[in-house]
Amino acid sequence: MVYFIADTHFSEQNIMRYENRPFKDIEEMDKELVSRWNSIVNKDDHVYVLGDFGADGQEIFILNQLNGRKFLVKGNHDVKPNQYYRDSGFEEVYDNPIIIKNFWILSHEPLYVNKNMPYANLFGHVHNSPIIKTYSEQHYCVSVERINYTPISFDDIIVAVQSKMEEN
């Protein structure tokens, strides 16, 4: 299986306040994020983290607790060199958006796509901002606040996007 998640911000104190996360402290947040991740992701599953994995290097201690083969599309808070993240347990690290399955653009920040383009965009960065919808015909936000702090499967994303296309 393939899963997506963004904006975990492991071990980052400020995110609790900025996004009104429902945890009493960062220890509870980190523990719950790890538990939810591991409740659905198996050892051989692929997980694309679409940016902002954690803060200040403290999050790396959590990386090895997480199931799956992990890939990072760097976000604005992922400031260490790519090799640091690889050495810590990510199989690959990307500075720029990537395309998978010839259609899905994976990025941290939302990208402009329209009906005349042969792409859809999976992204994070916007957390729970009401300005951006969770999904449409050509995009899907995987910020943790929108996906119950749990990685979401590629299959579930495809079903949601296809159902939106059928509505229009």
Side-chain angles (χ1 to χ4, degrees):
M1 291 281 292
V2 176
Y3 293 93
F4 297 91
I5 195 166
D7 305 305
T8 50
H9 289 271
F10 281 108
S11 301
E12 187 176 319
Q13 184 67 47
N14 289 336
I15 200 66
M16 301 280 296
R17 182 170 34 94
Y18 293 156
E19 295 301 326
N20 297 313
R21 290 195 173 174
F23 309 105
K24 68 178 180 183
D25 53 33
I26 60 170
E27 289 80 17
E28 179 185 60
M29 178 185 77
D30 288 354
K31 183 179 177 184
E32 188 62 27
L33 286 169
V34 168
S35 175
R36 291 182 191 204
W37 180 304
N38 289 339
S39 72
I40 63 162
V41 175
N42 294 315
K43 179 181 66 132
D44 294 323
D45 292 336
H46 289 211
V47 181
Y48 287 91
V49 177
L50 302 186
D52 293 356
F53 181 72
D56 301 325
Q58 297 300 312
E59 76 284 358
I60 293 308
F61 298 110
I62 291 168
L63 189 58
N64 291 327
Q65 298 175 39
L66 299 170
N67 291 341
R69 300 175 62 193
K70 297 163 283 292
F71 303 84
L72 176 64
V73 175
K74 288 173 80 172
N76 53 302
H77 288 266
D78 304 310
V79 297
K80 304 257 188 221
N82 290 1
Q83 194 58 47
Y84 168 82
Y85 294 106
R86 286 186 199 103
D87 291 344
S88 300
F90 281 102
E91 290 201 23
E92 191 52 80
V93 181
Y94 307 94
D95 288 316
N96 298 304
I98 62 170
I99 298 173
I100 63 169
K101 302 206 181 268
N102 298 317
F103 181 74
W104 301 93
I105 304 171
L106 310 183
S107 62
H108 177 59
E109 295 184 24
L111 300 175
Y112 173 75
V113 291
N114 68 45
K115 292 180 181 184
N116 299 318
M117 299 170 74
Y119 300 107
N121 179 216
L122 304 182
F123 61 90
H125 187 63
V126 298
H127 294 269
N128 233 354
S129 171
I131 296 170
I132 305 287
K133 291 188 257 179
T134 297
Y135 66 94
S136 73
E137 294 177 34
Q138 287 184 270
H139 79 271
Y140 200 107
C141 180
V142 297
S143 291
V144 294
E145 292 85 4
R146 296 180 187 229
I147 58 172
N148 197 31
Y149 302 93
T150 308
I152 184 168
S153 77
F154 199 18
D155 293 343
D156 288 344
I157 291 171
I158 290 169
V159 166
V161 169
Q162 284 178 338
S163 70
K164 195 62 149 174
M165 292 173 84
E166 291 169 3
E167 287 176 18
N168 296 329

